[in-house]
Amino acid sequence: MTRLFNDPTAFADEALEGFAAAHRRWVRSVTGGVVRAGGTPDGEVAVVVGGGSGHYPAFSGLVGRGLAHGAAVGNVFASPSAQQIRSVARAAHGGAGVLLMYGNYAGDVLHFGQAAERLAGEGVEVRTLAVTDDISSAGPGQPAERRGIAGDLPVFKAAAAAAEEGLPLDEVLRTAEHANARTRSFGIAFSGCTLPGAGHPLFTVPEGRMAVGLGIHGEPGIGEEPLPTADEAARLLVSTLLKELPDDVPTPEGARAAVILNGLGSVKYEELFVVYRTVAALLADAGVEIVEPEVGELVTSFDMAGVSLTLTWLDDRLERLWRAPADAPAHRKGALEAPAAASGPREEEADDTAAVPPASEESREAAATVLTALRALAGTVDEHVEELGRIDAVAG
């Protein structure tokens, strides 16, 4: 459970504040999230990622050279608002457009889409992409319905590395789409997670059982099975992913793959290494060449006990982008040359209220009515917060 917090409602903001203070070499705070400390080089596409808090190092930990140019960070397990996303995107924009990237969840799809509309209306060229790597959340014929989980990392990195190569916005988007189409993930969980201030887990898994395909917010998976050994878990993860290859990868024999074994929060690194030894052996037996694997926490869910396996099936271009250097708080590889010159940190958009004209009597009366309604809504939400949380978990 989450033990160290102050006001639970301030947890996400305080965590982001502490993260930015600890990583000033890489990031600076802006309204709604963080952007690269050195800004986006002039003329480079800005890759802006985002989603709810509670999944560190996604999303703020992936901001840095070779990875995202900015991250919009929402409340715990909640999408950032369109205004937060717009603010981060404007601060990250280097003049060559913005690619907004996020996991495929209803709130994120809605808010990133709204932010894209606002940015486009303000003259910023913008594209969006939802990562859809979780094969347990929809069938092979419904890839657009799938959730985004630990496959975020290779898809984000492919787009960001393409941007750093100086490619235009539409080519960066096509690169991200190609990486997403070649990425598959599958996970298992042994216990739920407890949010800051909550008295019980968001969801539970029966003792001695594991949930198969459970989502990172407790979304339903595809069933339960007896608790496995490490080798049995590895066999389940590998065999499930090898059953569904991308259309342009006819067989695993001779194929190359970026491999991520992701811990969801409370599975320790030593346990992950025990599982990975068998993952690596099974993939080698299938003829897969593993390229620069990652074993650790990449997309978490507070204290959830569980793991997921991600395979991104590489071609020459995707392999080059996966191997490309990166320097972010939570993901580093290779060596980077001196950064291209940027015009300096960009100021965020001025306060939208600055141009509001003086109020009339009619507008004051209307404002009082709106304020009364908002207070009633806020009071109703506070009164029923536990039930609303339960409904949200089921709906998610």
Side-chain angles (χ1 to χ4, degrees), residues 135-154:
I135 68 171
S136 67
S137 53
Q142 301 172 294
E145 302 301 316
R146 289 177 166 176
R147 300 180 291 240
I149 50 174
D152 284 351
L153 174 62

Side-chain angles (χ1 to χ4, degrees), residues 261-279:
L261 183 64
N262 175 59
L264 286 164
S266 66
V267 175
K268 306 310 295 180
Y269 274 69
E270 287 88 346
E271 296 174 89
L272 292 174
F273 292 136
V274 172
V275 175
Y276 184 74
R277 60 182 274 281
T278 303
V279 167

Side-chain angles (χ1 to χ4, degrees), residues 372-386:
T372 300
L374 289 173
R375 284 173 172 160
L377 288 169
T380 302
V381 170
D382 287 341
E383 182 182 355
H384 301 284
V385 64
E386 289 194 9

